[in-house]
């Protein structure tokens, strides 16, 4: 069936409207003028200047530490939870599965406030540790959902065949189950890292002094002075997260 030309044109205009602000941001990250509204020529000095900003480098380091730690923990716990939900039937399973979607649909400001109150009641000092705990709390749900989708399409007869042929349960798990689940685990981990690295709202509630992640540093730069270096770091974040989302989607589609 041939797609009408007017529908193609309309879809193109909608996509242009949605992505035009992003294209403008990327374009002006190469602007030679210090004022973003005035084009003075092409330059990459704003990207070079990022290496001269210790606050940006410190924020990037904290974001990577938190993101990698939260991703590893979320991938491990999320995979085990998905296996429990997908392979076992127990009382309250439906309710437990429904609770997994609460962090996904709950507004981030509500999650941030609730975590801040919890840490205050427990008398936990805000810092990198609290940021990591908060990120694990909402990243686990994304991993579980992705791994569950992969688990439902997996052939269980291979595991049964391995057990019949003499393999024990641990060997079957590592040699048969994990390789089949690996694309879903990796896709969920990539999504978890993307969500953790980009998060601002929840992190702003649970971060303490000296533990600002990269999005918080960028927000502070915007409040002080708008310069093309902000466009440069925003472009890098945009490209990095887009690549991770593309890889996660590619893994799920190929499998």
């Amino acid at each position: 069936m041939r797609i009408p030309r007017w529908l193609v044109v309309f879809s193109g205009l909608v996509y242009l409207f949605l992505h035009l602000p992003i294209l403008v941001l990327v374009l002006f990250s190469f602007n030679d003028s210090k004022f973003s509204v005035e084009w003075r020529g092409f330059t990459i000095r704003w990207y070079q200047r990022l290496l001269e900003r210790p606050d940006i480098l410190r924020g990037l380091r904290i974001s990577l530490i938190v993101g990698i730690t939260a991703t590893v923990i979320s991938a491990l716990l999320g995979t085990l939870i998905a296996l429990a939900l997908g392979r076992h039937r127990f009382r309250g399973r439906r309710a437990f599965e429904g609770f997994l979607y609460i962090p996904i649909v709950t507004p981030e400001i509500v999650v941030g406030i609730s975590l801040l109150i919890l840490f205050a009641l427990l008398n936990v000092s805000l810092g990198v540790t609290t940021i990591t705990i908060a990120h694990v709390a909402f990243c686990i749900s994304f991993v579980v959902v992705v791994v569950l989708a992969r688990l439902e399409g997996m052939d269980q007869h291979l595991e049964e065949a391995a057990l019949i042929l003499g393999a024990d349960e641990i060997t079957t798990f590592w040699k048969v189950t994990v390789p089949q689940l690996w694309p879903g685990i990796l896709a969920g981990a990539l999504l978890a890292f993307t969500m953790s690295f980009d998060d601002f709202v929840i992190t702003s509630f649970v971060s303490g002094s000296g533990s600002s992640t990269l999005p918080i540093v960028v927000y502070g730069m915007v409040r002080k002075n708008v310069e093309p270096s902000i466009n440069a770091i925003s472009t890098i974040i945009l490209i990095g997260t887009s690549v991770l989302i593309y890889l996660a989607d590619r893994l799920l589609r190929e499998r």
Side-chain angles (χ1 to χ4, degrees):
M1 182 178 179
R2 186 176 181 181
I3 302 177
R5 181 175 298 179
W6 67 267
L7 183 58
V8 176
V9 175
F10 179 77
S11 301
L13 292 175
V14 171
Y15 274 97
L16 179 62
F17 173 77
L18 293 175
H19 295 89
L20 184 60
I22 298 177
L23 295 177
V24 172
L25 182 145
V26 175
L27 177 63
F28 277 89
S29 68
F30 299 99
N31 185 16
D32 194 31
S33 174
K34 188 175 181 179
F35 304 98
S36 300
V37 295
E38 182 181 359
W39 180 262
R40 288 289 184 83
F42 181 87
T43 184
I44 60 172
R45 66 187 178 111
W46 302 114
Y47 289 89
Q48 296 173 345
R49 185 173 179 178
L50 296 177
L51 300 176
E52 303 172 358
R53 296 288 302 264
D55 54 342
I56 292 179
L57 297 178
R58 183 172 58 252
L60 176 61
R61 181 176 59 85
I62 294 176
S63 292
L64 290 176
I65 292 174
V66 172
I68 294 174
T69 305
T71 299
V72 172
I73 297 175
S74 299
L76 177 61
L77 297 180
T79 300
L80 295 178
I81 294 174
L83 286 171
L85 291 174
R87 293 295 176 82
H88 301 281
R89 298 295 180 266
F90 52 88
R91 181 176 299 180
R93 175 180 175 273
R94 292 296 181 183
F96 186 81
E97 187 174 353
F99 285 136
L100 288 173
Y101 291 92
I102 293 180
I104 298 178
V105 301
T106 303
E108 289 187 339
I109 189 172
V110 176
V111 177
I113 294 174
S114 61
L115 288 172
L116 177 61
I117 295 175
L118 176 63
F119 292 141
L121 290 176
L122 297 177
N123 197 23
V124 178
S125 300
L126 300 181
V128 176
T129 302
T130 55
I131 297 175
T132 304
I133 295 174
H135 286 198
V136 170
F138 67 80
C139 286
I140 286 181
S141 298
F142 292 94
V143 177
V144 173
V145 170
V146 175
V147 175
L148 266 179
R150 173 61 186 162
L151 189 62
E152 292 178 357
M154 196 174 71
D155 188 4
Q156 297 187 19
H157 293 90
L158 295 176
E159 296 172 304
E160 296 175 358
L163 293 172
I164 292 175
L165 292 174
D168 54 30
E169 294 183 354
I170 297 179
T171 303
T172 301
F173 175 76
W174 286 110
K175 297 294 185 179
V176 180
T177 306
V178 172
Q180 291 187 87
L181 284 179
W182 182 246
I185 297 173
L186 185 57
L190 290 174
L191 289 177
F193 181 81
T194 302
M195 298 296 298
S196 173
F197 191 85
D198 286 348
D199 183 75
F200 168 77
V201 177
I202 297 177
T203 306
S204 63
F205 282 95
V206 298
S207 61
S209 177
S211 60
S212 298
T213 58
L214 188 58
I216 295 180
V217 173
V218 173
Y219 177 74
M221 293 172 60
V222 173
R223 295 188 62 183
K224 294 178 182 178
N225 183 25
V226 179
E227 61 179 33
S229 60
I230 299 176
N231 297 337
I233 188 62
S234 300
T235 301
I236 294 175
I237 295 174
L238 173 66
I239 294 175
T241 53
S242 298
V243 170
L244 290 178
I245 293 176
Y246 170 78
L247 291 176
D249 181 71
R250 185 71 178 269
L251 284 172
L252 290 178
R253 289 180 181 272
E254 287 183 351
R255 296 292 177 171

